[in-house]
Amino acid sequence: MVKAGSSVIAGLAALGLFIGALAACSAGGTGARDEGPARTDPVGSTAPAATASPAPTASPSPSPTAVNAVRLVKADPKVSTEIKRDLQPCVANEYPVDVSYGNLTGGTATDVVVNVMTCGDAVGIGTYVYRDAGGKYQNVFQAEEPPVYAEIDRGDLVVTKQVYEKGDSVASPSGEEILTYRWSGDHFAQQSRTHNDYSHAVDGASPAPSDDG
């Protein structure tokens, strides 16, 4: 009788544990869901999760191919002998040349502007524009009346010439002339001419008042 009673009690205890486990699952207790949230996709949906599209990036413009400006000028038959003779390095292999690249003649290739200067005071003694004609640079503009300097301004060629009067030092010209050229067919045509006079006041000092008394 003792053994039979023990078996019944053990069976009832096991049944109680099983019922308790079922109650815990139905009440939202910890179980297989604890590792993460349940999927909310509709049944049978295979659409991938939406991802943010990368922002478009602008491609950088290719840099123009650098030219050997000294070699270009010295090999140019249009350049005067004096300019070629004076085009010497100032220090080591540093030549007094400024080079600008841009679109001046409307072609697909980049145009080249070369300014040749003096070593001592950087006075422009010659300016040249070269256009790529079938892989070979062609001289399409030059000015060799010093002091002169050319720049590219919004597709136009702007040439500045310093004006000196008798007694002016190199560092203090009397004025300047600014000439603007634009490519027209197969040559540069002058568009405008501006003349500026410089003041010769020394350091902006005002004259001392005169003593009238």
Side-chain angles (χ1 to χ4, degrees):
M1 292 296 294
V2 175
K3 291 183 179 181
S6 298
S7 298
V8 172
I9 293 172
L12 291 174
L15 179 61
L17 291 174
F18 178 74
I19 294 173
L22 290 177
C25 290
S26 62
T30 58
R33 293 287 178 86
D34 285 351
E35 75 273 17
R39 286 179 58 88
T40 57
D41 293 344
V43 176
S45 174
T46 58
T51 56
S53 300
T57 56
S59 301
S61 300
S63 300
T65 303
V67 300
N68 188 324
V70 174
R71 183 181 300 172
L72 193 62
V73 170
K74 288 194 171 185
D76 186 353
K78 293 184 179 181
V79 176
S80 67
T81 304
E82 292 77 12
I83 296 291
K84 293 180 180 180
R85 183 187 62 233
D86 293 340
L87 184 52
Q88 301 295 330
C90 299
V91 179
N93 293 324
E94 296 294 329
Y95 284 83
V97 294
D98 284 348
V99 186
S100 301
Y101 301 89
N103 193 332
L104 284 169
T105 64
T108 56
T110 303
D111 301 309
V112 182
V113 177
V114 180
N115 286 289
V116 180
M117 299 167 291
T118 60
C119 287
D121 42 27
V123 172
I125 58 177
T127 185
Y128 310 91
V129 178
Y130 292 96
R131 184 173 191 259
D132 189 337
K136 184 177 181 180
Y137 283 105
Q138 176 185 6
N139 183 335
V140 292
F141 180 91
Q142 71 179 50
E144 295 181 333
E145 301 83 18
V148 61
Y149 197 90
E151 298 175 289
I152 300 173
D153 184 10
R154 290 170 292 184
D156 289 338
L157 177 67
V158 179
V159 179
T160 302
K161 296 182 177 181
Q162 303 293 333
V163 177
Y164 289 89
E165 295 180 357
K166 187 177 180 180
D168 290 344
S169 65
V170 174
S172 182
S174 291
E176 68 178 5
E177 297 228 345
I178 303 175
L179 298 91
T180 301
Y181 295 89
R182 188 169 299 163
W183 186 254
S184 177
D186 59 353
H187 67 283
F188 282 100
Q190 182 176 317
Q191 298 296 307
S192 64
R193 185 186 191 102
T194 303
H195 180 89
N196 297 320
D197 287 327
Y198 298 154
S199 171
H200 282 284
V202 178
D203 297 329
S206 301
S210 59
D211 188 0
D212 295 332

